[in-house]
Amino acid sequence: DGISDDVVKIGVLGDMSGVYSTGFSGDGAVAAVKMAVEDFGGEVLGKKIEVISADHQNKADVASATARQWIDEDHVDMITDLTNSAVALAVQQLASDKGVITMSTGAASADLTGKACTKYGIHYGYDTHALPVGTATAVVKNGGDSWYFITADYAFGHALQDNTSAVVKELGGSVVGSSDVPLASTDFSSYLLQAQSSGAKVIGLANAGQDTVNAIKQAHEFGIVEGGQQLAGMLVLISDVKSLGTDVAKGLNFTVGWYWDLDDESRAWKEKYMKYSNGAAPTFVHAADYSLTLAYLNAIKAAGTDDSDAVRAELSKQKIDDFFAKGGMIRKDGLLEHDMYLVQVQEGAEDPWNVAKVVRTIPGNEAYASLKDGGCAMAQE
Amino acid sequence: MSEQTAGIGNASEFEDSGPAESAPGNRIVQGVLWGLLILSILVAPAFLYPVFVMQLLCFALFACAFNLLIGFTGLLSFGHAAFFGGAAYFAGHAIKVWGLPPLFGIITGALGAAVLGYLVGALAIRRQGIYFAMITLALAQIVYFFALQLPFTGGENGLQGIPRGTLFGLVSLNDPIVMYYFVAAIFMIGFLIIYRTIHSPFGQVLQAIRENEARALSLGYNVDRFKLIAFVLSASLAGLAGATKAVVFQFASLTDAHWQTSGEVILMTLLGGMGTIFGPIIGAVTIVTLQHELASIGSWVQVVIGGIFIVSVLLFRRGIIGELARVLKVSGV
Amino acid sequence: MLLKLILAQGMLGLNNGVFYAMLSLGLAIIFGLLNVVNFAHGALYMAGAFVALILYSYVGAWIGLEQLHINFWVALVLAPVIVGCFGMLIERLLLRHLYKFDPIYSLLLTFGVTLVLQGLFINTFGASGTPYPGQPEQLRGVVNLGFMMFPKYRLFAIVFSVLVCLAVWFVIERTRIGAMLRAGTENPELVKAFGINVPLMVTLTFGFGTGLAGLAGVLAAPIYSVSPLMGADLIIIIFAVVVIGGMGSIMGAVVAGFGLGLIEGITKVFYAPAANTVIFFLMVVVLLVRPAGLFGRQS
Amino acid sequence: MSDFILEARQLGKSFGGFRAVNNVNLNVERGTIHALIGPNGAGKTTVFNLLTKFLTPSSGQILFNGEDITDLNPVEIANRGVVRSFQISAVFPHLTALENVRLALQKRLGVSYHFWRSKSLLSELDDEAIERLDQVGLKRFAHLRAVELPYGRKRALEIATTLGLEPELMLLDEPTQGMGTEDVGQVAELIRNVSVGRTIVMVEHNLGVVADLADTITVLNRGEILAEGPYDVVSKDPAVMEAYMGIKADEVEA
Amino acid sequence: MSMAVIDKPLLKIADLHAWYGESHVLHGIDLELGEGQLITLLGRNGAGRTTTLRAIMGMVDRRTGSIALRGEEFIGKPAHRIAPSGRIGYCPEERGIFSSLTVEENLLLPPVVGEGGMSLDDIYTMFPNLREVRKRMGTRLSGGEQQMLAIARILRTGARLLLLDEITEGLAPVIVKALGEAIRRLKAQGYTIILVEQNFRFAAGVADRHYVIEHGRVIDRIDDADVGTSMDKLNHYLSV
Ligand SMILES: Nc1ncnc2c1ncn2[C@@H]1O[C@H](COP(=O)(O)OP(=O)(O)OP(=O)(O)O)[C@@H](O)[C@H]1O
Ligand SMILES: Nc1ncnc2c1ncn2[C@@H]1O[C@H](COP(=O)(O)OP(=O)(O)OP(=O)(O)O)[C@@H](O)[C@H]1O
Ligand SMILES: CC(C)C[C@H](N)C(=O)O
Ligand SMILES: [Mg+2]
Ligand SMILES: [Mg+2]
């Protein structure tokens, strides 16, 4: 009992320099975690809380080697961020084998708490199941019933494409094709042409970050949107909208796990965060990073130990009720079920970061797969 | 545009290569190095993170295998990552999907690398010098794309969660110390194979080919076949290293097959000393340790590694062991 | 529909061919004349793109003129000069010391230079890439080619690079400079004794070849986002292009560059996953039937 | 029954459109020294390259001991006992003289592909290697690396190595080129010694050496045979005198 | 030995030392020759004759002493300035034919250093073999053809001082003879020539003087007229 090694170590393993380093991971995520630790008082059960971070370069092997050493040598108690599903899947498995809790935020694949779920793996913030529920539904209902996907060619992209396809088909739409694009491509033109000639009404972007931004830009460059096809970004952050410009992104619908302009509590948190991050507004992933850090520390406090089993159990006992999630709960399969928001790009707001307005709140139980449908074997008994 | 550049690191450049290998001074230095090697392998896990030492051993074996080609045959392969990384996938698949025990999985990996080595080698030895280097580089890139696109490799995700399993159905390799000595044994076997190859009748012919290919041909040696065998041997041993690494990290990834890894193994060998026995080990240990220690400075590691590359090429073409041998006036180390 | 798609992908392929051709051209000049395989060529291409970006987005701020954005046309002239000068520096300070050794050492040296350059740019600008905002006004918008809408800028890039390639080919193959350079590679000492300033010639040539890489970088900036890794995988493709064209052959580099871009583009129509590898497979085939490359001098 | 060890029939080689060797018929009698002479560019080196398959003939046939060897590759030809030397000296510079010779002897042990065995098993060849070195006067240099030998001795080492293969037929391309007078004498002596019991074909510009050693001389000119026979006959042939020695040169455009 | 001093030497070399890296090869060469003269440098293998020519051309790692050409000092000049300002043509021992250039490109390579050079036609007339092979790559030539090319190449440039190193090496007697003719003709046309030879008979009769070099020094100097009487001495110098 008590705190192992007299210190609680939180490891932020993220993409510190690559395509996901803005918006999802990087300094912004580290700032959120550190801010939470500070707000918590820097200590838990009288022991120091330490935050360390490392760059996984979007490489699962780099990530798992780092995680392995963190666990074996540095006795890290919890690993978070794990932006990039391939990374998260690898590290979650490894950490669980070694009895260490992971709390993935940036990573999206619903498999993390689905068929790849583990005893100590938690997925916090959003997933590929939750994203299309809002966005794809809205698009299909507006008449966009045939889709062509441009998909990031790894765990995340494929999961997102699958989950979106399921939504589209359920609503009677069809999927006419897809192109797999390597992560961090800069030229989407040939895929876009392929999509264009498929005749689909909607080009679904099953990618994220810089990839999404580039794809949308080039679609405009080649006159694809003018040609009558609609783009649907399945994972868009406000930072992406900002770099696209609201004129280019105009009309875009997308789904987020939180938006800073939801209520006063959120607005206040955003102001505070911006001081930590050199003036960049938080994305919903950063908010999740903060929220989960507090949740984890509270669980240690409540359990009176940093023992993984005790903390994991405690995490599922609490309700997550803060600026980020209202009445959210961490399920047996490790998924944080909470409300999601469909937002739409808006132009000309006063605050340069006010790039979207919320058009619909998607209740947690609608957004996420049920425990039963999620496919986590461990959670079925 | 002459293609007849003699192999790298040989002939004209280094005129003075000390006395015969069996001179008494050499014997002593050789003995000391062997002793140091064995001793440090035995005691390292007591002082260092075993997984890290295992990584060192894997890369050291990789570099030694590579050196067999560049240092003792005069062929610069710029695509050795294909064998290292390829074998990792073969081994991973054999263990994870076919359920082979780890040892047989690793052997499967090495055999797979041998087949790849045969295919790449047979094509590449049609050209010489810089062309050979570029062709191996490009062929390795094909292997890389296969690793990216074939269904069994897991694409960008890599092949994850390869079980370490048990050795001969007896001891679990999940115990880090057992795993360590298992890896150490593989390293020693690989290293001894290389050592013996260099000092075999076959090695003698390789050296002759490196020094004067046309003459070797006129003496009736089938030069291409010798080169190909050397290539396949080197590829298999690189594969042995890669497969072992896959079991250590329970992971086969694209990084291992990427050209940058091919570049790194060249650097390790160059830095330690091409054509020396122990040099590649020193080079691998230096580079891997650097990467490890400097991981916190992020991409500056690349700058440092690049800088070392430049300095070694400009000033230490003999490498650490090569320079040492020159100063001590010994050979065969 | 299929024909339309083939034409469209062909155009895009040709567009990539611009960079294959210009880069392999520079590589071929440097190799053919200096016997150096410049691994850093891709990194210098990247540097060229960054120079354009820096001129547009940063220089103004540095000198206190926030509103100053040095435009694309200026970059098109300045970047090759800057990159070329940097190339000459590399030649003077580093490569020069390796000519008397196996050319493989030059390859390794430039490999090291590549790592350093990439690392420096990643550290300064991040690995993810920044879009180049300075695309010239005159070249915005699209042209309707009948089978597709094609951005004006990309069309410009194609035409411009064809002209550059032709001009370079003329200078090297049709003037005495070429012969002097080749001789200088082979036996610099003797060429010097004939009264030619070989070291200067070599430096200028290297500067010219790398300047071409810088030029390609500027051309690329408005198309792709400017990223420290933009040249990293490209260089391997360029190697294959050069081997296919015939190492050291100027014509080979240009023809193979555009041709392979085209083939790669069309491959995407039929079997997209093969597009990555088609160039390397072609390389294998060429090696089997014509080891010196399509335009190389057979030995 | 003719005792020709080597016969070339209608041998031809073109480079592009240029016929470097044209319809050459060469009959080399067993146990003799056969010299190939001719002006520069006559095709002598090319003929050597054809005979050893370093070049592929455009036309013609090569018989060795009556068997057609036209389609064999250089390695197979060497392994049949036709071994050549080069116009410039060809040794393995960083191997010792002993190791150089041993490489030739090693072949007959059939262990050259055995990478798993120790090379110490080659030491059984040392005695014979020393003997070969002794034959060419290099015994005391056995443990010196070849680079350290003076030019003439490198040439001798090359011959000793070649002898290690016990070739039936040796082809020597300008063995005395670039040597000072004292070396020339030494090498000529050496060639005479090793010719015992085997056949030698040599290209040589030094007429003194040719006159001294050769039993038969074939004169090539512009890829074709101009004359053939013993020195006394050939050297008096007016065509040879004009084309090769340049007698009557005043009338020929220099 | 006769020590006739030339009034106005075209080339005067005094106390020339030269090094390759650490190795000190020339130990004080002194020689001189007047406009239109022909001298030979004789000596055994490794005596330093080639190095003397290379030192004149600035092709050694370090040189000291004096090389005065038409009164101008050449020691400090960078290598690429020597041929043009001295109007020198150099034919190296190893011939130095460029393999990546055609024969004609090889011929046209050396820049013109003065007026009065031979035209391509003159050259092909002098060496008809070369005309036949002019489109061929340099090193596809036979040894002898390469030798001709190496000499022809410098005759085009208008050089007036020719440094010729072992030009008869590896050549058939017929060519050696032709070259002898050519040398005679060049001399008659007023060229100044330094000839490095193993074979002094080749130059006997054309040369003005012979310098015997050993261990990087001039050990003797023999006027051509005295060759007959100095035969024993010469044989002694040149053989064992
Ligand atoms: N690979 C080649 N391509 C084109 N021409 C060639 C090639 N090799 C040789 N030749 C030509 O063939 C002719 C014969 O050359 P070869 O080397 O056989 O002459 P050689 O009799 O040995 O002369 P030398 O006594 O000068 O060595 C020459 O004119 C040469 O230019
Ligand atoms: N590049 C070099 N580096 C070091 N030493 C050299 C070099 N070239 C020549 N030497 C040495 O300098 C000395 C003189 O050589 P040089 O070539 O001038 O002789 P030479 O009189 O022309 O004889 P040869 O008949 O061999 O041409 C020799 O001892 C030789 O070994
Ligand atoms: C930043 C993200 C889009 C990463 C992605 N969510 C993934 O799972 O890989
Ligand atoms: Mg010849
Ligand atoms: Mg000489």
Side-chain angles (χ1 to χ4, degrees):
Chain A
D1 277 12
I3 302 296
S4 57
D5 322 298
D6 289 337
V7 59
V8 171
K9 256 194 209 173
I10 298 176
V12 183
L13 187 50
D15 173 4
M16 300 298 170
S17 59
V19 276
Y20 296 143
S21 58
T22 45
F24 289 96
S25 187
D27 297 341
V30 178
V33 172
K34 286 197 168 147
M35 182 174 151
V37 170
E38 239 170 77
D39 288 355
F40 191 80
E43 287 186 356
V44 61
L45 302 175
K47 305 294 181 197
K48 230 173 102 26
I49 306 164
E50 205 180 300
V51 178
I52 59 176
S53 65
D55 188 359
H56 60 50
Q57 303 161 29
N58 288 307
K59 289 177 185 156
D61 55 325
V62 173
S64 72
T66 308
R68 188 184 289 274
Q69 181 158 14
W70 273 2
I71 295 167
D72 290 350
E73 293 284 288
D74 302 325
H75 307 292
V76 164
D77 297 289
M78 186 271 275
I79 300 175
T80 184
D81 193 330
L82 301 176
T83 299
N84 188 319
S85 299
V87 164
L89 287 165
V91 172
Q92 172 172 297
Q93 183 64 50
L94 176 83
S96 275
D97 287 349
K98 291 179 174 277
V100 170
I101 292 177
T102 50
M103 300 179 83
S104 310
T105 45
S109 172
D111 286 348
L112 281 167
T113 54
K115 61 176 190 262
C117 70
T118 64
K119 198 168 161 199
Y120 304 109
I122 287 170
H123 195 189
Y124 204 101
Y126 74 114
D127 72 10
T128 52
H129 187 278
L131 291 171
V133 169
T135 316
T137 306
V139 171
V140 177
K141 286 200 170 145
N142 266 326
D145 57 359
S146 63
W147 286 56
Y148 186 99
F149 284 102
I150 289 183
T151 304
D153 190 13
Y154 73 107
F156 153 68
H158 295 296
L160 190 51
Q161 182 188 332
D162 292 347
N163 289 113
T164 310
S165 302
V167 172
V168 170
K169 285 178 189 153
E170 185 149 319
L171 295 171
S174 64
V175 174
V176 300
S178 68
S179 291
D180 292 342
V181 186
L183 179 62
S185 290
T186 53
D187 189 6
F188 285 80
S189 53
S190 67
Y191 310 106
L192 287 164
L193 279 186
Q194 217 75 23
Q196 186 179 40
S197 79
S198 75
K201 290 183 190 157
V202 180
I203 301 177
L205 302 176
N207 51 17
Q210 200 72 50
D211 282 351
T212 305
V213 171
N214 283 332
I216 294 176
K217 268 198 198 151
Q218 286 172 10
H220 281 273
E221 212 189 327
F222 278 83
I224 284 177
V225 180
E226 289 78 354
Q229 278 173 309
Q230 186 189 346
L231 294 173
M234 301 317 297
L235 174 45
V236 179
L237 298 179
I238 59 168
S239 49
D240 301 333
V241 175
K242 195 141 184 297
S243 80
L244 277 169
T246 43
D247 49 336
V248 174
K250 179 174 57 191
L252 205 62
N253 286 309
F254 58 99
T255 301
V256 293
W258 171 83
Y259 188 64
W260 64 268
D261 204 21
L262 282 175
D263 52 25
D264 287 341
E265 208 184 346
S266 294
R267 280 186 285 271
W269 186 82
K270 172 214 172 205
E271 288 310 317
K272 188 166 175 203
Y273 175 86
M274 283 178 73
K275 293 200 189 77
Y276 271 82
S277 64
N278 305 320
T283 64
F284 76 85
V285 182
H286 297 146
D289 288 325
Y290 180 94
S291 171
L292 76 83
T293 309
L294 282 189
Y296 174 70
L297 295 173
N298 281 323
I300 292 181
K301 197 157 129 192
T305 172
D306 65 354
D307 174 71
S308 292
D309 288 308
V311 174
R312 177 67 186 82
E314 190 59 45
L315 276 169
S316 276
K317 252 186 258 163
Q318 311 174 347
K319 276 250 177 276
I320 308 293
D321 245 325
D322 58 8
F323 75 97
F324 174 74
K326 299 281 177 281
M329 57 159 190
I330 296 175
R331 309 190 318 202
K332 222 170 142 191
D333 57 3
L335 178 72
L336 169 71
E337 189 178 300
H338 69 124
D339 296 350
M340 302 286 288
Y341 307 91
L342 180 67
V343 300
Q344 192 170 49
V345 173
Q346 66 167 2
E347 284 184 274
E350 215 169 289
D351 185 328
W353 287 99
N354 204 353
V355 296
K357 61 171 191 290
V358 177
V359 294
R360 182 161 107 85
T361 301
I362 309 153
N365 57 3
E366 188 186 317
Y368 292 94
S370 69
L371 201 53
K372 195 152 98 358
D373 296 340
C376 172
M378 181 188 78
Q380 301 299 328
E381 304 99 53
Chain B
M1 296 228 305
S2 129
E3 265 200 58
Q4 266 116 336
T5 36
I8 189 164
N10 82 14
S12 52
E13 195 183 336
F14 309 141
E15 280 303 326
D16 52 336
S17 66
E21 253 175 61
S22 51
N26 286 350
R27 279 280 157 95
I28 295 170
V29 178
Q30 285 165 11
V32 168
L33 286 171
W34 275 104
L36 276 178
L37 175 68
I38 292 169
L39 188 71
S40 42
I41 288 180
L42 286 178
V43 304
F47 301 99
L48 295 165
Y49 177 40
V51 175
F52 172 68
V53 187
M54 288 188 255
Q55 187 185 4
L56 289 184
L57 289 176
C58 291
F59 275 101
L61 180 57
F62 183 25
C64 290
F66 175 77
N67 187 39
L68 180 59
L69 215 47
I70 192 163
F72 295 95
T73 318
L75 298 173
L76 171 64
S77 159
F78 219 119
H80 252 46
F83 313 124
F84 185 71
Y89 282 105
F90 294 136
H93 189 73
I95 296 172
K96 192 175 165 184
V97 180
W98 299 342
L100 289 191
L103 182 59
F104 291 105
I106 289 172
I107 292 173
T108 309
L111 291 177
V115 173
L116 277 183
Y118 180 81
L119 295 174
V120 172
L123 276 169
I125 55 171
R126 298 165 64 94
R127 309 306 305 278
Q128 276 146 15
I130 208 86
Y131 293 80
F132 180 89
M134 294 185 50
I135 289 162
T136 46
L137 177 62
L139 290 173
Q141 200 68 1
I142 297 187
V143 175
Y144 178 82
F145 280 116
F146 277 135
L148 183 64
Q149 285 171 344
L150 287 182
F152 84 96
T153 60
E156 301 254 10
N157 301 348
L159 199 61
Q160 308 186 355
I162 301 165
R164 279 187 183 172
T166 57
L167 193 55
F168 308 120
L170 295 173
V171 270
S172 164
L173 288 175
N174 283 315
D175 180 337
I177 291 303
V178 177
M179 185 67 201
Y180 176 80
Y181 286 106
F182 174 60
V183 172
I186 290 179
F187 169 82
M188 276 319 291
I189 291 169
F191 185 66
L192 288 173
I193 292 176
I194 292 166
Y195 183 81
R196 173 39 59 87
T197 302
I198 293 165
H199 296 90
S200 70
F202 176 77
Q204 190 82 25
V205 180
L206 288 186
Q207 189 181 352
I209 291 172
R210 191 182 76 168
E211 301 224 326
N212 191 339
E213 188 169 330
R215 180 56 171 160
L217 199 63
S218 80
L219 287 181
Y221 286 108
N222 189 339
V223 167
D224 281 355
R225 187 176 309 159
F226 278 92
K227 283 188 187 167
L228 185 56
I229 292 175
F231 197 90
V232 172
L233 258 175
S234 169
S236 325
L237 291 162
L240 184 66
T244 309
K245 175 169 181 263
V247 175
V248 171
F249 285 94
Q250 304 180 264
F251 213 120
S253 78
L254 287 173
T255 316
D256 290 339
H258 195 259
W259 58 260
Q260 204 140 334
T261 303
S262 297
E264 272 163 22
V265 78
I266 298 176
L267 176 57
M268 291 171 190
T269 311
L270 179 68
L271 182 66
M274 290 187 303
T276 64
I277 306 283
F278 295 97
I281 302 179
I282 307 276
V285 169
T286 314
I287 296 297
V288 177
T289 306
L290 260 178
Q291 283 173 334
H292 192 256
E293 291 302 313
L294 297 182
S296 56
I297 61 169
S299 317
W300 288 108
V301 183
Q302 253 200 52
V303 180
V304 173
I305 301 267
I308 296 179
F309 227 125
I310 294 175
V311 172
S312 320
V313 170
L314 282 177
L315 304 175
F316 301 111
R317 280 177 299 276
R318 281 193 180 86
I320 296 172
I321 291 285
E323 288 293 341
L324 207 69
R326 191 173 62 91
V327 172
L328 297 179
K329 298 202 189 320
V330 295
S331 63
V333 289
Chain C
M1 201 67 205
L2 182 64
L3 181 67
K4 240 168 122 177
L5 187 57
I6 291 176
L7 287 172
Q9 293 289 19
M11 276 309 282
L12 288 178
L14 211 54
N15 191 201
N16 287 335
V18 165
F19 303 103
Y20 296 170
M22 286 186 66
L23 288 177
S24 55
L25 176 61
L27 207 63
I29 291 173
I30 293 175
F31 179 78
L33 309 176
L34 312 183
N35 225 357
V36 168
V37 175
N38 181 23
F39 203 101
H41 216 66
L44 292 166
Y45 154 81
M46 173 271 287
F50 266 103
V51 170
L53 178 72
I54 291 168
L55 286 175
Y56 192 88
S57 307
Y58 295 85
V59 170
W62 290 344
I63 58 175
L65 299 169
E66 301 290 342
Q67 291 317 308
L68 178 73
H69 297 294
I70 299 172
N71 76 22
F72 176 80
W73 303 110
V74 178
L76 201 58
V77 177
L78 265 187
V81 173
I82 294 173
V83 174
C85 288
F86 181 70
M88 291 195 269
L89 222 59
I90 296 179
E91 196 278 334
R92 275 272 144 132
L93 298 179
L94 308 175
L95 275 176
R96 169 143 305 182
H97 306 286
L98 294 175
Y99 293 144
K100 54 180 179 292
F101 304 114
D102 192 297
I104 277 167
Y105 286 114
S106 315
L107 175 70
L108 296 182
L109 181 104
T110 52
F111 181 77
V113 171
T114 306
L115 293 184
V116 171
L117 276 179
Q118 270 178 18
L120 287 177
F121 277 96
I122 290 177
N123 282 306
T124 322
F125 295 93
S128 52
T130 323
Y132 174 72
Q135 194 183 79
E137 268 320 314
Q138 306 89 311
L139 298 174
R140 299 222 167 159
V142 286
V143 187
N144 192 340
L145 297 180
F147 53 90
M148 77 184 299
M149 305 298 256
F150 199 69
K152 271 189 202 159
Y153 178 81
R154 294 193 183 222
L155 206 59
F156 159 77
I158 294 174
V159 175
F160 181 80
S161 78
V162 169
L163 292 179
V164 168
C165 290
L166 285 179
V168 171
W169 171 82
F170 181 82
V171 170
I172 307 264
E173 294 289 325
R174 294 285 160 220
T175 67
R176 230 170 68 86
I177 298 177
M180 255 157 61
L181 289 165
R182 273 175 281 149
T185 324
E186 236 181 86
N187 189 344
E189 210 184 21
L190 182 59
V191 176
K192 241 185 273 179
F194 285 150
I196 298 172
N197 190 344
V198 178
L200 180 68
M201 196 174 78
V202 166
T203 306
L204 290 176
T205 310
F206 197 81
F208 183 72
T210 51
L212 273 178
L215 184 63
V218 182
L219 274 187
I223 300 184
Y224 313 119
S225 63
V226 178
S227 121
L229 295 172
M230 64 194 285
D233 288 328
L234 190 57
I235 185 67
I236 316 283
I237 299 181
I238 299 303
F239 280 166
V241 172
V242 174
V243 170
I244 292 172
M247 288 199 45
S249 158
I250 306 294
M251 203 46 160
V254 175
V255 173
F258 284 107
L260 290 167
L262 202 63
I263 290 175
E264 199 184 45
I266 292 172
T267 308
K268 286 187 177 144
V269 179
F270 297 101
Y271 185 58
N276 285 328
T277 32
V278 64
I279 290 186
F280 298 110
F281 276 113
L282 283 175
M283 185 189 98
V284 172
V285 173
V286 167
L287 281 176
L288 288 176
V289 293
R290 230 184 122 83
L294 296 179
F295 291 75
R297 293 198 172 95
Q298 307 293 327
S299 53
Chain D
M1 193 198 104
S2 69
D3 197 15
F4 293 136
I5 184 167
L6 184 76
E7 294 163 76
R9 295 193 184 146
Q10 304 289 322
L11 205 55
K13 176 71 187 175
S14 336
F15 298 108
F18 171 76
R19 297 197 63 87
V21 173
N22 201 1
N23 283 338
V24 166
N25 289 301
L26 202 63
N27 297 311
V28 179
E29 215 168 314
R30 190 181 307 280
T32 61
I33 299 184
H34 192 125
L36 211 52
I37 65 171
N40 300 104
K44 303 177 297 289
T45 301
T46 308
V47 166
F48 263 44
N49 284 332
L50 293 175
L51 293 177
T52 49
K53 285 302 285 288
F54 276 63
L55 287 173
T56 310
S58 313
S59 60
Q61 213 186 6
I62 305 164
L63 302 183
F64 178 61
N65 283 328
E67 280 173 62
D68 189 334
I69 59 165
T70 322
D71 294 327
L72 302 187
N73 65 34
V75 172
E76 290 163 340
I77 289 182
N79 289 336
R80 291 224 175 177
V82 181
V83 185
R84 68 174 295 183
S85 73
F86 290 84
Q87 195 157 359
I88 39 172
S89 93
V91 293
F92 303 113
H94 291 83
L95 297 181
T96 64
L98 180 77
E99 285 169 327
N100 263 277
V101 176
R102 225 169 51 182
L103 265 163
L105 303 178
Q106 171 178 341
K107 297 199 57 190
R108 76 172 86 108
L109 294 184
V111 297
S112 293
Y113 289 109
H114 293 191
F115 59 81
W116 56 90
R117 302 184 59 178
S118 168
K119 76 171 172 189
S120 59
L121 71 92
L122 297 178
S123 53
E124 68 175 79
L125 301 169
D126 287 358
D127 289 345
E128 186 180 344
I130 301 261
E131 204 174 296
R132 297 275 176 209
L133 286 172
D134 201 15
Q135 250 179 320
V136 299
L138 288 180
K139 186 171 171 180
R140 65 202 161 94
F141 301 113
H143 296 286
L144 224 55
R145 289 177 315 160
V147 259
E148 295 160 33
L149 296 176
Y151 188 82
R153 302 220 183 270
K154 276 190 200 140
R155 229 48 241 217
L157 175 58
E158 190 189 339
I159 291 172
T161 307
T162 307
L163 284 175
L165 295 176
E166 303 194 341
E168 277 188 78
L169 176 62
M170 279 173 83
L171 304 174
L172 309 177
D173 195 356
E174 301 205 32
T176 68
Q177 188 189 355
M179 288 186 187
T181 18
E182 76 270 47
D183 285 343
V184 171
Q186 225 175 41
V187 169
E189 193 51 40
L190 185 62
I191 293 172
R192 190 199 310 288
N193 287 342
V194 305
S195 72
V196 179
R198 56 174 58 86
T199 314
I200 292 181
V201 180
M202 61 191 269
V203 169
E204 183 56 65
H205 279 305
N206 190 322
L207 280 183
V209 175
V210 173
D212 190 21
L213 293 176
D215 300 302
T216 313
I217 297 170
T218 300
V219 186
L220 278 182
N221 190 29
R222 296 175 167 273
E224 301 188 24
I225 292 184
L226 188 67
E228 198 165 54
Y231 182 79
D232 296 330
V233 176
V234 167
S235 62
K236 295 200 179 79
D237 184 317
V240 174
M241 285 171 64
E242 179 177 332
Y244 186 59
M245 322 238 198
I247 299 176
K248 265 165 72 184
D250 324 7
E251 297 152 33
V252 184
E253 265 295 351
Chain E
M1 65 179 138
S2 63
M3 264 303 182
V5 174
I6 299 156
D7 287 342
K8 266 186 71 187
L10 175 81
L11 174 69
K12 182 169 170 56
I13 295 177
D15 195 28
L16 178 64
H17 290 250
W19 288 261
Y20 292 115
E22 294 291 289
S23 107
H24 189 172
V25 175
L26 296 188
H27 300 262
I29 296 276
D30 296 284
L31 57 82
E32 55 188 21
L33 80 164
E35 180 97 47
Q37 289 194 330
L38 188 155
I39 59 164
T40 72
L41 307 183
L42 303 176
R44 294 186 201 156
N45 285 138
R49 299 161 302 153
T50 296
T51 307
T52 306
L53 299 193
R54 291 173 58 91
I56 296 173
M57 297 312 296
M59 297 168 80
V60 293
D61 294 331
R62 193 155 74 85
R63 50 188 187 154
T64 63
S66 163
I67 301 172
L69 187 56
R70 300 184 188 93
E72 193 189 347
E73 181 56 55
F74 270 61
I75 281 283
K77 269 202 202 308
H80 66 271
R81 299 288 320 136
I82 292 174
S85 51
R87 295 191 70 181
I88 309 178
Y90 172 56
C91 176
E93 184 172 18
E94 67 290 345
R95 296 164 190 161
I97 302 304
F98 298 99
S99 61
S100 54
L101 273 57
T102 62
V103 168
E104 199 149 288
E105 281 176 320
N106 263 290
L107 269 176
L108 295 175
L109 181 79
V112 168
V113 297
E115 285 162 23
M118 291 166 90
S119 69
L120 267 189
D121 266 343
D122 294 345
I123 285 175
Y124 288 142
T125 315
M126 190 160 181
F127 301 104
N129 287 26
L130 291 183
R131 190 196 296 277
E132 286 170 38
V133 299
R134 67 182 189 280
K135 294 284 171 228
R136 210 170 285 169
M137 296 311 282
T139 41
R140 294 279 159 83
L141 300 186
S142 83
E145 290 162 342
Q146 292 190 25
Q147 188 63 67
M148 295 178 222
L149 177 55
I151 300 170
R153 187 163 61 179
I154 54 171
L155 296 179
R156 227 198 83 253
T157 64
R160 300 300 298 168
L161 170 60
L162 307 183
L163 313 184
L164 308 179
D165 199 348
E166 309 252 11
I167 52 171
T168 60
E169 175 82 3
L171 294 189
V174 60
I175 312 249
V176 174
K177 213 164 154 197
L179 275 177
E181 294 297 326
I183 298 283
R184 226 172 282 272
R185 215 168 327 144
L186 290 171
K187 184 173 185 217
Q189 288 169 17
Y191 284 89
T192 313
I193 299 173
I194 302 183
L195 206 56
V196 167
E197 266 304 325
Q198 293 265 7
N199 169 1
F200 64 87
R201 285 175 198 90
F202 171 71
V206 221
D208 294 278
R209 284 182 307 288
H210 305 273
Y211 289 82
V212 181
I213 296 185
E214 196 165 296
H215 298 309
R217 285 188 191 84
V218 175
I219 55 159
D220 203 350
R221 191 184 124 143
I222 299 168
D223 280 336
D224 198 54
D226 304 335
V227 164
T229 56
S230 315
M231 217 53 172
D232 286 348
K233 206 162 60 166
L234 270 173
N235 276 328
H236 170 72
Y237 288 143
L238 298 182
S239 61
V240 201

